[in-house]
Each structure stands twice: as C-alpha cells, then as structure tokens.
Amino acid sequence: MTNPEKCLKCESTQVINDVQVIDLESHAESLAVRVQTKPHARLFKGGVRVRLKAQVCGACGYTELYAKDPARLLKAHEQSS
C-alpha cells in the first residue's frame, strides 16, 4: 500500500491509511480479490485470496483500494499461465 503525503485528488494531507473495506450486504469481514491457480480446470480451480485495504482522504473522501499482499496474487497469476 502506498503512503502518500497528499491526496491524489485534492492534495490534502489528511490521508487515512490501511482502512478496512467491508461488504455490508453479505456481512463479510472484509473484501478480497482472488486469482484462480487452475482457471481451465472444470472443478477445483484453486485460488489465492488476498484482502483489500483502502486509503481514504479525510478532506474530500477520495478512496483507493489496495491488495494487502500483491506479490502473492502475482505468483498465483504466473502459476496459472
């Protein structure tokens, strides 16, 4: 996750890092992204799941999402090719 000194939209310095992103509809603990390690398999496609975190500007509300462990996703993606 990046840690800018200023908001990319309004340039405020009131940036809040590492904010948890929650799906209120499914009552999930947090949102995640997944890469299938065997995308062409009929069953048991396998997968690597990584939680998302947000960075929010306290002044304008601009929000960016970041994968908590992008290297793990990249490795799974490379294995699936």
Side-chain angles (χ1 to χ4, degrees), residues 62-75:
Y62 179 73
T63 303
E64 292 183 293
L65 296 177
Y66 294 89
K68 192 82 170 147
D69 189 355
R72 206 167 140 227
L73 282 179
L74 180 60
K75 184 177 178 182

Side-chain angles (χ1 to χ4, degrees), residues 4-15 57 60-62:
E5 296 178 16
K6 292 182 181 179
C7 170
L8 296 175
K9 186 173 181 182
C10 75
E11 298 188 359
S12 168
T13 58
Q14 298 175 330
V15 177
C57 176
C60 74
Y62 179 73

